[in-house]
Amino acid sequence: MIVVMKQGTRDDQLEDFQRILDGLGVKGHFSKGVHTTIVGLVGDTSRVDIDSIGSLSYVETVKRIQEPYKSANRKFHPDDTVIDIGGHKIGGGYMQVIAGPCSVESEEQICEVAKAAQASGATMLRGGAFKPRTSPYAFQGLRAEGIELLLKAKALTGMPIVTEIMSGDQLPLFDEVDVIQVGARNMQNFELLKLLGKTNKPILLKRGLANTMEELLMSAEYIMAGGNMQVILCERGIRTFETATRNTLDISAIPMLKRLSHLPVVVDPSHAAGIPWMVEPLSLSAIAAGADGLIIEVHNNPSKALSDGPQSLRPAEFDAVMKKIGGMMGYMGKKS
Amino acid sequence: MIVVMKQGTRDDQLEDFQRILDGLGVKGHFSKGVHTTIVGLVGDTSRVDIDSIGSLSYVETVKRIQEPYKSANRKFHPDDTVIDIGGHKIGGGYMQVIAGPCSVESEEQICEVAKAAQASGATMLRGGAFKPRTSPYAFQGLRAEGIELLLKAKALTGMPIVTEIMSGDQLPLFDEVDVIQVGARNMQNFELLKLLGKTNKPILLKRGLANTMEELLMSAEYIMAGGNMQVILCERGIRTFETATRNTLDISAIPMLKRLSHLPVVVDPSHAAGIPWMVEPLSLSAIAAGADGLIIEVHNNPSKALSDGPQSLRPAEFDAVMKKIGGMMGYMGKKS
Amino acid sequence: MIVVMKQGTRDDQLEDFQRILDGLGVKGHFSKGVHTTIVGLVGDTSRVDIDSIGSLSYVETVKRIQEPYKSANRKFHPDDTVIDIGGHKIGGGYMQVIAGPCSVESEEQICEVAKAAQASGATMLRGGAFKPRTSPYAFQGLRAEGIELLLKAKALTGMPIVTEIMSGDQLPLFDEVDVIQVGARNMQNFELLKLLGKTNKPILLKRGLANTMEELLMSAEYIMAGGNMQVILCERGIRTFETATRNTLDISAIPMLKRLSHLPVVVDPSHAAGIPWMVEPLSLSAIAAGADGLIIEVHNNPSKALSDGPQSLRPAEFDAVMKKIGGMMGYMGKKS
Amino acid sequence: MIVVMKQGTRDDQLEDFQRILDGLGVKGHFSKGVHTTIVGLVGDTSRVDIDSIGSLSYVETVKRIQEPYKSANRKFHPDDTVIDIGGHKIGGGYMQVIAGPCSVESEEQICEVAKAAQASGATMLRGGAFKPRTSPYAFQGLRAEGIELLLKAKALTGMPIVTEIMSGDQLPLFDEVDVIQVGARNMQNFELLKLLGKTNKPILLKRGLANTMEELLMSAEYIMAGGNMQVILCERGIRTFETATRNTLDISAIPMLKRLSHLPVVVDPSHAAGIPWMVEPLSLSAIAAGADGLIIEVHNNPSKALSDGPQSLRPAEFDAVMKKIGGMMGYMGKKS
């Protein structure tokens, strides 16, 4: 952290600043120039509040040099994290395709979609039991019953299941869930993240619609600070001025997150665009950019879907896309 | 809701659509043109899922004409909602200034700030006990103890208190809190909103950093659908490309929200800009645009603040700003 | 400018950097720490290319401390610039209202609007002769004839005229125009800005839809670097994710631009929202935030307007808004 | 175009609307419902101004069904446009890599880079002679001399050259230039676009930092309306809240633009991220998403570059990236 003092800062103010640094347990390297004094902070600055330093009356500006995350930081953990989910590995050259409907609607629906998705090559099953809907009048998910149905589909197919949690008090229902998903709207629900940090389950953490990559990594850090190191980052499109697609897939986030962090990065092309025909080109580009996984919506009857129907692929469409995905995975040297 | 059918839609598809509408309890007014058929939906369309309709294979496009919110909608509730908080009214021409520190830090701090703010004309006290911080290593608030300290300041000054909830399980601690705040990061924490809809306390609902006004009103609708009609909307800046201010205060949201809805609208100029000297011009412009209240950060020692120090006003600065605010309130005919 | 060297930078690299600084005519103050070396650049750094410095193989990061604009910078020109336009002053406590139609359409139209606007208190006339339209098939303005019609309205009313230039070769037509407007889409048409820097006419420079305040000031600097110091900055709304208003008026830009620069700042509430009824609250809030002027669209027959009709006020509506504007100007102590 | 009338619209108003439609040469299909009347507009609505219709006092809302562009629209031109540039085809399965420095700096520099880029597989040479720089104090390009130097490099290597125009009066200097580039800041410089529509040279049109895909296509339409059908669209990153990359590459724009239009789409991964190591993953993902070309910055001495040095690849780095690009082109079946 580099702190630039205001012009005319007095010696007693520099001494005051020295005392503050002592209290924070970091060292300051003071460089007095003709016009200004610059202080370089050395040590563990991840606990130093950049805003508090910036509010000191004699400080002109503060710039962080080190990233504010530690457990998620590749600098301190150079090797890729590989997460094993029921025998399917993700990260470190391993890539998986997670497929399923937006919402679990019935036993028949989830089992039928699971079998079809598996037959096309998907290795994990997704499906929403608790649904975050913008409108209180929209279908809110089957909730506890939805998780039971997912477990039936798991029993039938052997596929590990991925499903979203919306509140800490739902946690007991997730005992047999393989991967707990945190949705974009809850990326900064810090109380929930803290609770998930105490579990020993892989967490699929979706990037918020208007959150920076650094904020995503800080939310991963919340989970990791609690002891749970199994975090999978998910890019699912950000909110911009463009309206031709529902969100804007930030493809650069894949290589950037993988450079900043050792955590696996998966991409959700279904929510990113909100357009079924775009799942194929976005999936291929995500793999080409280095993604460790894909989450794709598949529904056996999209026009009857209780949520997000329009963006889902039908099983036959998904099968065609999976052939292209498999080819690109092979070309890019991805193991599954 | 206007539904435009694809060219070449067959009669049996139109009949299928008629059955779907019957099932939803809305009427369809079919207009067959040479090239296309247009269907106007009449009735309570707030429960119709625009996405599900859009996913029908024969539908080209759907456009909502009516707003998807009802309880929050001024069309169905033309008079301003006025909320009484310990004798202080907000909305319908009444305006209040809520002041206090970002975080409650000690009894001395909160009581001192409360007395100073009250002396300058603030009528309600704010202070964070549960703090949503980007970093897990930053100060997370005094939590339960923070609420106790707020209650001491309330006992001392008689000021109603406003403080943030971050999770439903904290609700029992809010028994004596006057206004429960939902922070920007939790605006779409729908499980929390549902719980708050079951309380009988005023809710101060902050707009998310990247949420539209319609989404804010839909989140208010979540609370109101549960029976709690006392919702105060809060504009606190949105996230844009501009970096000269922390966020971009969306001043247009004040007149627009008040036109779309009957709920009171307050503005947080401290978080919007993140710059103390900007609190005055933004406060004056918010009143001129019709705001029903202001929330301003005041700290007796900003450089020692454990969070968000740089944006806080010192009591003397706040006193000067309040003189300007009082003048503008008078000029705009606002009652307090 | 603060330059932080990479860890392990060698002495010969520091000497290389010293030579580069010598070539640029700036001094470097080197502070060697245990882990890193920090160099503070002193002197006129406005000509130092931050990107070139950042690309040096041994540089970790560069941070600009000083603003990159000089002529527009309040630090070097503490007093407000006051621009006199045909006897009407703008800046330094003086405020003017500029009114008129989006496009000049006929002599009758522009003269009628001019007289009505003047009667309501507007002191300058705006009207588009060259129109930047998104579609090549939309009305492109009356061009040279439009300027002639504006001059007729000026002769009739004595009001100075403000109209937009779209290309340098149109400049000869602007001889009798009082204020040349640069539209948002041309804010970074640097060749045009250079030409305008050689004129001696006030330039009304509109902020681009996605340009930062710093970029706006850099575009003003282009004009001022050519010798023309009469630049009026105009905030007209920026592009964000919000769709309830056409653009998002960045109200914070008013106090911020006036703090960073000595140039006058005017606001265009008509284009910012694109909604006639919102002109009043946005105008009042702009004055309360410190604006030096307003540009308001007025049309005698908005539904027949050849461009941007929906956002225009009718003369009677404008008259009502002007009464409120006049009151607020009085309250804020603005002279006209 | 669908026009929804306000509730209570009278018959004489509907007749007035009929007359307006007659004047515009489009037919209206009126559907009177119990609550509202809906009018479907049939015919060539590309010349109908949606804003003017929306401003009619009895109109509630207007929605465009058809795209407002015609020449650029794939619906009216289903086959891919293939543009031949000195024997190198772009579009319709053909893909080219355009490489070169941000700015032309000297004969030695441009010739050396051209030879190196060609040896690595680039087929066209880019280089800026006229440079749009944010600061008036930054290097503005060698201008006319820069074009001469590009022509020398063309003579030496036989590579067609691509260079940017900033103003219509520079056009005579572009006689021997193969592709004229319009930069992001000039995407809506409509006077320039009109002039380029009168030339017979391919135009590389870069998307503006905050322009939608529809606006990009409308700018292409400006050129095509003048008779020049050789437009190459270029995605180069849009401006968002994210700061980890300079801009956000909108990868979805590739498949979307190619679906909406028949024009070729190229991608500039150098400007999109502003980070040299990211050129490789972004190039591969662009090809996987269907891009028809890439524009990559290469400089023989990035740290001495007079502009945008940090984002340039050195020739050896470019050579390594080209091997990956060549492989991906082969995998995706792209011809060069």
Side-chain angles (χ1 to χ4, degrees):
Chain A
M1 202 176 276
I2 306 290
V3 182
V4 180
M5 299 295 166
K6 285 185 181 156
Q7 285 202 7
T9 297
R10 298 185 313 271
D11 281 355
D12 64 302
Q13 293 174 316
L14 294 179
E15 284 160 23
D16 179 62
F17 188 54
Q18 178 67 67
R19 278 189 298 271
I20 290 172
L21 297 183
D22 290 347
L24 292 164
V26 295
K27 278 192 189 166
H29 176 258
F30 288 69
S31 317
K32 289 195 194 180
V34 184
H35 294 270
T36 189
T37 296
I38 300 166
V39 187
L41 268 55
V42 181
D44 179 5
T45 58
S46 67
R47 283 156 205 273
V48 176
D49 188 341
I50 194 166
D51 284 339
S52 296
I53 299 294
S55 74
L56 294 165
S57 60
Y58 42 80
V59 167
E60 173 77 31
T61 183
V62 190
K63 186 174 164 60
R64 200 178 265 289
I65 303 295
Q66 255 182 303
E67 298 82 10
Y69 43 88
K70 292 167 63 179
S71 299
N73 197 330
R74 189 178 281 276
K75 280 189 190 158
F76 308 123
H77 188 312
D79 294 331
D80 281 356
T81 283
V82 180
I83 298 178
D84 189 307
I85 303 156
H88 303 286
K89 290 180 184 162
I90 200 159
Y94 291 93
M95 184 185 145
Q96 305 297 332
V97 179
I98 306 165
C102 187
S103 296
V104 181
E105 292 165 21
S106 69
E107 181 174 345
E108 188 194 351
Q109 172 240 24
I110 190 68
C111 289
E112 197 179 304
V113 172
K115 283 186 291 183
Q118 192 174 42
S120 298
T123 49
M124 292 190 237
L125 178 66
R126 58 148 291 157
F130 295 96
K131 295 300 306 170
R133 304 299 304 275
T134 305
S135 169
Y137 309 121
F139 175 60
Q140 305 276 317
L142 294 180
R143 304 178 70 90
E145 188 196 341
I147 291 187
E148 281 171 36
L149 298 181
L150 278 168
L151 293 174
K152 286 188 181 173
K154 177 183 177 178
L156 182 73
T157 60
M159 296 171 94
I161 58 174
V162 182
T163 194
E164 180 169 354
I165 194 167
M166 285 179 63
S167 177
D169 60 355
Q170 297 160 355
L171 199 50
L173 296 167
F174 284 70
D175 262 2
E176 294 178 65
V177 167
D178 299 277
V179 179
I180 305 179
Q181 177 177 317
V182 176
R185 288 171 188 78
N186 275 319
M187 192 200 90
Q188 292 193 316
N189 183 338
F190 301 118
E191 297 296 308
L192 179 59
L193 299 179
K194 284 182 200 172
L195 273 176
L196 296 174
K198 301 294 182 195
T199 71
N200 60 358
K201 286 187 183 297
I203 308 297
L204 181 80
L205 179 64
K206 287 197 157 189
R207 181 179 180 185
L209 277 98
N211 286 111
T212 62
M213 301 181 211
E214 184 172 298
E215 287 168 341
L216 173 60
L217 291 169
M218 290 308 288
S219 286
E221 192 80 11
Y222 257 97
I223 298 167
M224 300 171 94
N228 183 355
M229 298 295 161
Q230 299 186 83
V231 180
I232 301 166
L233 306 172
C234 179
E235 162 62 31
R236 43 80 73 217
I238 58 174
R239 187 164 269 190
T240 70
F241 62 84
E242 177 61 71
T243 55
T245 45
R246 191 190 295 171
N247 300 293
T248 298
L249 179 65
D250 185 1
I251 196 85
S252 313
I254 305 169
M256 184 56 93
L257 287 171
K258 289 182 69 68
R259 192 175 186 98
L260 296 173
S261 175
H262 49 88
L263 297 171
V265 177
V266 305
V267 169
D268 178 343
S270 301
H271 282 90
I275 300 169
W277 67 260
M278 219 182 253
V279 171
E280 180 183 310
L282 294 187
S283 294
L284 300 186
S285 67
I287 303 169
D292 299 303
L294 292 167
I295 311 181
I296 297 177
E297 285 201 6
V298 181
H299 196 287
N300 51 355
N301 192 352
S303 69
K304 290 284 190 301
L306 296 175
S307 64
D308 274 351
Q311 78 204 14
S312 292
L313 296 178
R314 287 166 181 78
E317 294 166 334
F318 177 66
D319 193 64
V321 171
M322 278 302 285
K323 287 191 171 53
K324 297 286 185 73
I325 287 174
M328 182 62 83
M329 284 174 64
Y331 178 73
M332 292 295 292
K334 288 284 185 183
K335 296 164 279 186
S336 70
Chain B
M1 202 176 277
I2 306 290
V3 182
V4 181
M5 298 296 168
K6 285 185 180 157
Q7 286 202 7
T9 297
R10 300 184 312 271
D11 281 354
D12 64 303
Q13 293 175 315
L14 294 180
E15 285 160 21
D16 178 63
F17 189 54
Q18 178 67 68
R19 279 190 296 274
I20 290 172
L21 296 184
D22 289 349
L24 291 164
V26 295
K27 280 192 187 166
H29 175 257
F30 288 68
S31 317
K32 290 194 194 182
V34 185
H35 295 269
T36 190
T37 296
I38 299 167
V39 187
L41 270 53
V42 181
D44 179 5
T45 58
S46 67
R47 283 155 205 273
V48 176
D49 189 342
I50 194 166
D51 284 339
S52 296
I53 300 294
S55 74
L56 294 164
S57 59
Y58 42 79
V59 167
E60 172 77 30
T61 182
V62 190
K63 187 176 163 59
R64 200 178 266 289
I65 303 295
Q66 255 182 305
E67 298 82 9
Y69 42 89
K70 294 168 61 179
S71 299
N73 197 330
R74 190 178 280 274
K75 281 188 188 158
F76 308 123
H77 188 311
D79 294 332
D80 281 355
T81 284
V82 181
I83 299 177
D84 189 306
I85 303 156
H88 303 286
K89 291 180 183 162
I90 199 159
Y94 291 92
M95 184 185 145
Q96 305 298 331
V97 179
I98 307 165
C102 187
S103 298
V104 180
E105 291 165 21
S106 70
E107 182 173 347
E108 187 194 353
Q109 173 240 23
I110 190 67
C111 289
E112 196 179 305
V113 172
K115 284 186 291 182
Q118 191 174 42
S120 298
T123 50
M124 290 189 238
L125 178 66
R126 58 149 290 159
F130 296 95
K131 294 301 306 170
R133 304 299 302 276
T134 304
S135 168
Y137 309 122
F139 175 61
Q140 305 276 316
L142 293 180
R143 304 177 71 89
E145 188 196 341
I147 292 187
E148 280 171 38
L149 297 181
L150 278 168
L151 293 173
K152 285 188 181 173
K154 177 182 177 179
L156 181 73
T157 61
M159 296 170 94
I161 58 175
V162 182
T163 193
E164 180 168 353
I165 194 168
M166 285 178 63
S167 177
D169 59 354
Q170 296 160 356
L171 199 50
L173 296 168
F174 284 69
D175 263 1
E176 295 178 66
V177 167
D178 299 277
V179 178
I180 305 179
Q181 177 177 317
V182 176
R185 288 170 187 78
N186 276 318
M187 191 200 91
Q188 292 193 316
N189 182 338
F190 301 119
E191 298 296 307
L192 179 59
L193 299 179
K194 284 181 199 171
L195 274 177
L196 296 175
K198 302 294 182 196
T199 70
N200 61 357
K201 286 187 183 298
I203 308 298
L204 181 82
L205 179 64
K206 288 197 155 187
R207 181 179 181 185
L209 276 98
N211 286 111
T212 62
M213 301 181 210
E214 184 172 298
E215 287 169 341
L216 173 60
L217 291 168
M218 290 308 288
S219 286
E221 192 79 12
Y222 258 96
I223 298 167
M224 299 170 93
N228 183 357
M229 298 296 162
Q230 298 186 83
V231 180
I232 302 165
L233 306 171
C234 179
E235 161 63 32
R236 43 81 73 216
I238 58 174
R239 188 164 268 190
T240 70
F241 62 84
E242 177 62 70
T243 54
T245 46
R246 192 190 295 173
N247 301 291
T248 297
L249 179 66
D250 185 2
I251 195 85
S252 312
I254 304 169
M256 183 57 93
L257 288 170
K258 289 181 72 68
R259 192 174 186 101
L260 296 173
S261 175
H262 49 87
L263 297 172
V265 178
V266 305
V267 170
D268 179 343
S270 301
H271 281 89
I275 300 170
W277 66 260
M278 219 182 251
V279 170
E280 179 182 312
L282 295 186
S283 294
L284 299 186
S285 67
I287 303 169
D292 300 303
L294 292 167
I295 312 181
I296 298 177
E297 285 201 6
V298 181
H299 196 288
N300 51 356
N301 192 351
S303 69
K304 290 283 190 302
L306 296 174
S307 64
D308 274 352
Q311 77 203 15
S312 292
L313 296 177
R314 288 168 180 78
E317 294 165 333
F318 177 67
D319 194 66
V321 171
M322 279 300 286
K323 287 191 171 55
K324 297 285 185 73
I325 287 174
M328 183 62 82
M329 285 174 64
Y331 178 73
M332 292 295 292
K334 290 283 184 183
K335 295 164 280 185
S336 68
Chain C
M1 202 177 277
I2 305 290
V3 182
V4 180
M5 298 295 166
K6 286 186 180 157
Q7 285 201 10
T9 297
R10 300 185 311 273
D11 281 354
D12 64 302
Q13 294 174 315
L14 295 180
E15 286 160 21
D16 178 63
F17 188 54
Q18 178 68 67
R19 276 189 298 272
I20 290 172
L21 297 184
D22 290 348
L24 291 164
V26 296
K27 280 191 188 167
H29 176 257
F30 288 69
S31 316
K32 290 193 194 181
V34 185
H35 294 269
T36 189
T37 296
I38 298 167
V39 187
L41 269 53
V42 181
D44 179 5
T45 58
S46 68
R47 283 155 205 273
V48 176
D49 188 342
I50 194 165
D51 284 340
S52 295
I53 299 294
S55 74
L56 294 164
S57 59
Y58 42 79
V59 167
E60 174 76 33
T61 182
V62 190
K63 187 174 163 61
R64 201 179 266 289
I65 302 297
Q66 256 182 303
E67 299 82 10
Y69 41 88
K70 293 166 64 180
S71 298
N73 197 329
R74 189 177 280 275
K75 279 187 190 159
F76 308 123
H77 188 312
D79 295 331
D80 281 355
T81 284
V82 181
I83 298 178
D84 189 305
I85 303 157
H88 303 286
K89 290 180 184 162
I90 200 158
Y94 291 92
M95 184 186 146
Q96 305 298 330
V97 179
I98 306 165
C102 186
S103 297
V104 180
E105 292 165 20
S106 68
E107 181 174 346
E108 187 194 351
Q109 172 241 24
I110 190 68
C111 289
E112 198 179 302
V113 172
K115 284 186 291 182
Q118 191 175 43
S120 297
T123 49
M124 291 189 237
L125 178 66
R126 59 148 289 159
F130 295 95
K131 295 300 306 171
R133 305 298 303 275
T134 304
S135 168
Y137 309 122
F139 175 59
Q140 306 276 317
L142 293 180
R143 305 177 71 90
E145 187 196 341
I147 292 187
E148 281 171 37
L149 298 181
L150 278 168
L151 293 174
K152 286 188 182 173
K154 177 183 178 179
L156 182 74
T157 60
M159 296 171 94
I161 58 175
V162 182
T163 194
E164 180 170 352
I165 194 168
M166 286 178 64
S167 178
D169 59 354
Q170 297 160 356
L171 200 50
L173 296 168
F174 285 68
D175 263 3
E176 294 178 64
V177 166
D178 298 278
V179 178
I180 304 178
Q181 178 178 315
V182 176
R185 288 171 187 79
N186 275 317
M187 191 201 90
Q188 292 192 317
N189 182 339
F190 300 119
E191 298 295 308
L192 179 59
L193 299 179
K194 283 182 200 171
L195 274 177
L196 296 175
K198 301 294 182 195
T199 70
N200 60 357
K201 285 186 183 298
I203 308 297
L204 181 81
L205 179 64
K206 287 196 156 189
R207 181 179 180 185
L209 277 97
N211 286 111
T212 62
M213 300 181 212
E214 185 172 298
E215 288 169 341
L216 174 58
L217 291 169
M218 289 309 287
S219 286
E221 192 79 12
Y222 257 96
I223 298 168
M224 299 170 94
N228 184 355
M229 297 296 161
Q230 299 187 82
V231 180
I232 301 166
L233 306 171
C234 179
E235 162 62 32
R236 44 80 75 216
I238 57 173
R239 188 164 268 191
T240 70
F241 61 85
E242 177 62 69
T243 54
T245 45
R246 190 191 296 172
N247 300 292
T248 297
L249 179 65
D250 184 1
I251 195 86
S252 313
I254 304 169
M256 183 58 92
L257 287 171
K258 289 182 70 67
R259 193 176 185 97
L260 296 173
S261 174
H262 50 88
L263 297 171
V265 177
V266 305
V267 169
D268 178 344
S270 301
H271 281 90
I275 300 170
W277 67 260
M278 217 181 254
V279 170
E280 179 183 311
L282 295 186
S283 294
L284 299 185
S285 67
I287 302 170
D292 300 302
L294 293 166
I295 311 183
I296 298 177
E297 284 201 7
V298 181
H299 196 287
N300 51 355
N301 193 350
S303 69
K304 289 282 190 303
L306 296 175
S307 65
D308 273 351
Q311 76 203 15
S312 292
L313 296 178
R314 287 168 181 78
E317 294 166 333
F318 177 67
D319 194 65
V321 171
M322 278 301 286
K323 286 191 171 54
K324 297 286 185 74
I325 286 174
M328 183 62 83
M329 284 175 64
Y331 178 72
M332 292 296 291
K334 289 283 184 183
K335 296 163 279 184
S336 69
Chain D
M1 203 177 274
I2 306 290
V3 182
V4 181
M5 298 295 168
K6 285 186 181 157
Q7 285 201 9
T9 297
R10 300 183 312 271
D11 281 355
D12 65 302
Q13 293 174 315
L14 294 178
E15 285 160 22
D16 178 64
F17 188 55
Q18 178 68 68
R19 277 189 298 272
I20 290 172
L21 297 182
D22 290 348
L24 292 164
V26 296
K27 280 192 187 166
H29 176 257
F30 288 69
S31 316
K32 289 193 195 184
V34 185
H35 294 269
T36 189
T37 296
I38 298 167
V39 187
L41 270 52
V42 181
D44 178 5
T45 58
S46 67
R47 285 157 204 273
V48 176
D49 188 342
I50 194 166
D51 284 338
S52 294
I53 300 294
S55 74
L56 294 164
S57 59
Y58 42 80
V59 167
E60 173 76 32
T61 182
V62 190
K63 188 175 162 60
R64 201 178 266 288
I65 303 297
Q66 255 182 303
E67 298 83 8
Y69 42 89
K70 293 167 63 179
S71 299
N73 197 330
R74 189 178 279 277
K75 280 188 189 159
F76 309 122
H77 187 312
D79 295 331
D80 281 355
T81 285
V82 181
I83 298 178
D84 189 308
I85 303 156
H88 303 286
K89 291 179 184 163
I90 200 159
Y94 292 92
M95 184 186 145
Q96 305 298 331
V97 179
I98 306 165
C102 187
S103 298
V104 181
E105 292 165 21
S106 68
E107 181 174 346
E108 188 195 349
Q109 173 240 25
I110 190 68
C111 288
E112 198 180 302
V113 172
K115 284 186 291 182
Q118 191 174 43
S120 298
T123 49
M124 291 190 238
L125 177 67
R126 59 149 289 159
F130 296 95
K131 296 299 306 171
R133 304 298 303 276
T134 305
S135 168
Y137 309 122
F139 175 60
Q140 304 276 316
L142 294 180
R143 306 176 71 88
E145 188 196 340
I147 292 188
E148 281 171 38
L149 298 182
L150 279 168
L151 293 174
K152 286 189 181 172
K154 177 182 176 179
L156 181 74
T157 60
M159 297 170 95
I161 57 175
V162 182
T163 193
E164 180 169 353
I165 195 169
M166 286 177 64
S167 177
D169 59 355
Q170 296 160 356
L171 199 50
L173 296 168
F174 284 69
D175 262 2
E176 294 177 65
V177 166
D178 298 278
V179 178
I180 304 179
Q181 177 179 317
V182 176
R185 288 171 187 78
N186 275 317
M187 192 200 90
Q188 293 193 316
N189 182 338
F190 301 118
E191 298 295 307
L192 179 60
L193 299 178
K194 284 182 200 171
L195 274 176
L196 296 174
K198 301 293 182 195
T199 70
N200 61 356
K201 286 187 183 297
I203 308 298
L204 180 82
L205 179 64
K206 288 197 155 188
R207 181 179 182 185
L209 276 98
N211 286 110
T212 62
M213 300 181 212
E214 184 172 298
E215 287 169 341
L216 173 60
L217 291 169
M218 290 307 288
S219 286
E221 192 80 11
Y222 258 96
I223 299 167
M224 300 171 92
N228 183 355
M229 297 296 162
Q230 300 186 82
V231 180
I232 302 165
L233 305 172
C234 179
E235 162 62 31
R236 42 82 72 216
I238 57 173
R239 189 165 266 190
T240 70
F241 62 84
E242 177 62 70
T243 54
T245 45
R246 191 190 296 173
N247 300 291
T248 297
L249 179 66
D250 184 1
I251 195 85
S252 313
I254 304 169
M256 184 56 93
L257 288 171
K258 289 182 70 68
R259 193 175 186 99
L260 296 173
S261 174
H262 49 88
L263 297 172
V265 177
V266 305
V267 169
D268 178 343
S270 301
H271 281 90
I275 300 170
W277 67 260
M278 217 182 254
V279 170
E280 180 183 311
L282 295 186
S283 293
L284 300 185
S285 68
I287 302 170
D292 299 303
L294 292 168
I295 312 182
I296 298 177
E297 284 201 8
V298 181
H299 196 287
N300 51 355
N301 192 352
S303 68
K304 290 283 190 301
L306 296 175
S307 64
D308 274 351
Q311 78 202 13
S312 291
L313 296 178
R314 287 168 181 77
E317 294 166 333
F318 177 66
D319 194 65
V321 172
M322 278 301 286
K323 288 192 170 51
K324 298 286 185 74
I325 287 174
M328 182 61 83
M329 283 174 63
Y331 178 73
M332 293 295 291
K334 288 283 183 183
K335 295 164 281 185
S336 68

